[in-house]
Amino acid sequence: AQSVSQHNHHVILSEAASLELGCNYSYGGTVNLFWYVQYPGQHLQLLLKYFSGDPLVKGIKGFEAEFIKSKFSFNLRKPSVQWSDTAEYFCAVGGSQGNLIFGKGTKLSVKP
Amino acid sequence: KAGVTQTPRYLIKTRGQQVTLSCSPISGHRSVSWYQQTPGQGLQFLFEYFSETQRNKGNFPGRFSGRQFSNSRSEMNVSTLELGDSALYLCASSLLWTGASSMNTEAFFGQGTRLTVV
């Protein structure tokens, strides 16, 4: 069965620190990969997506992610976080029947 | 363009009752998916509707059901509520049926309905 693993449950950073959130998936076929963010009290929003092409994907708010097929990974990065990036981040893979399979999420707390 | 609208936002029900949640997708979107979000299990797929037909279903008991109307609005029903059904129920809309093409899996989420079963 397809699954998504996010390595960190809770990450605490100071402002201006660099961020990398890990995501690994298990699926041998063509994958569509996503990162969603859920700010406190708000709905899930798409940060970025990968369907094909350049494995380095740039998203909104300065986030980027790199698809490494050999490692089944799609890690999220941001060079310098801000307090406003405090949120929960979800990695997801498009399942074989189209539905999204989510990781358990990583809570990011950014200290001002 | 209005986003995905879910009503009600909050709901408190008693064990054994049934509940109906509503979702209006983004205008022009024809696919509606439902997800359950809990602290322990995370986000889990319930089902997807497209053109008033259920196209895909997750691993939930038959107490969870849904339907879609001709205007693409969808409802989700949970019968015989259990304490463990307490969760945030999220609706997501997509332009087309997500299973028809790998390019269709971009989903736009509503703010959810917080269901508490007491």
Side-chain angles (χ1 to χ4, degrees), chain B residues 58-76:
Chain B
N59 293 326
F60 279 81
R63 300 185 296 107
F64 292 82
S65 63
R67 59 179 176 167
Q68 186 179 35
F69 302 94
S70 57
N71 62 358
S72 295
R73 190 177 71 84
S74 176
E75 287 182 348
M76 189 193 105

Side-chain angles (χ1 to χ4, degrees), chain A residues 30 32 34 36 38 41-46 49 51 88 90 94-104, chain B residues 9 35 37 40-43 45 48 55-56 88 90 97-99 102-111:
Chain A
T30 302
N32 300 320
F34 305 83
Y36 281 85
Q38 191 172 34
Q42 294 191 28
H43 62 279
L44 274 168
Q45 299 173 43
L46 182 67
K49 63 191 178 200
F51 286 159
E88 190 160 14
F90 293 91
S96 56
Q97 292 183 284
N99 57 287
L100 290 168
I101 298 164
F102 286 89
K104 291 284 178 77
Chain B
R9 290 290 312 281
Y35 291 82
Q37 186 177 17
Q41 298 299 316
L43 280 145
F45 172 72
E48 177 180 9
R55 300 290 177 151
N56 191 6
L88 181 66
L90 295 172
W97 172 40
T98 58
S102 64
M103 301 299 290
N104 294 338
T105 47
E106 180 171 356
F108 297 83
F109 285 82
Q111 287 198 277

Side-chain angles (χ1 to χ4, degrees), chain B:
Chain B
K1 178 153 112 166
V4 179
T5 304
Q6 291 188 246
T7 56
R9 290 290 312 281
Y10 302 92
L11 210 45
I12 299 175
K13 288 286 188 180
T14 304
R15 196 169 44 179
Q17 287 186 311
Q18 75 161 15
V19 67
T20 300
L21 313 181
S22 179
C23 172
S24 294
I26 291 171
S27 178
H29 283 197
R30 295 171 59 195
S31 168
V32 172
S33 299
W34 288 88
Y35 291 82
Q36 182 195 64
Q37 186 177 17
T38 59
Q41 298 299 316
L43 280 145
Q44 293 186 288
F45 172 72
L46 280 154
F47 30 65
E48 177 180 9
Y49 285 85
F50 176 77
S51 290
E52 303 175 64
T53 303
Q54 187 180 92
R55 300 290 177 151
N56 191 6
K57 189 176 188 305
N59 293 326
F60 279 81
R63 300 185 296 107
F64 292 82
S65 63
R67 59 179 176 167
Q68 186 179 35
F69 302 94
S70 57
N71 62 358
S72 295
R73 190 177 71 84
S74 176
E75 287 182 348
M76 189 193 105
N77 185 275
V78 188
S79 62
T80 320
L81 283 166
E82 300 177 1
L83 296 179
D85 297 333
S86 294
L88 181 66
Y89 289 88
L90 295 172
C91 167
S93 79
S94 302
L95 193 59
L96 297 171
W97 172 40
T98 58
S101 163
S102 64
M103 301 299 290
N104 294 338
T105 47
E106 180 171 356
F108 297 83
F109 285 82
Q111 287 198 277
T113 294
R114 172 78 60 188
L115 172 65
T116 303
V117 182
V118 297

Side-chain angles (χ1 to χ4, degrees), chain A residues 22-71:
Chain A
C23 172
N24 286 92
Y25 63 92
S26 68
Y27 181 55
T30 302
V31 286
N32 300 320
L33 295 159
F34 305 83
W35 275 98
Y36 281 85
V37 61
Q38 191 172 34
Y39 297 103
Q42 294 191 28
H43 62 279
L44 274 168
Q45 299 173 43
L46 182 67
L47 265 182
L48 47 77
K49 63 191 178 200
Y50 172 80
F51 286 159
S52 63
D54 188 344
L56 186 60
V57 180
K58 294 197 184 300
I60 61 170
K61 305 187 182 188
F63 286 91
E64 64 179 32
E66 185 174 13
F67 169 55
I68 304 180
K69 189 174 181 179
S70 61
K71 295 185 179 179

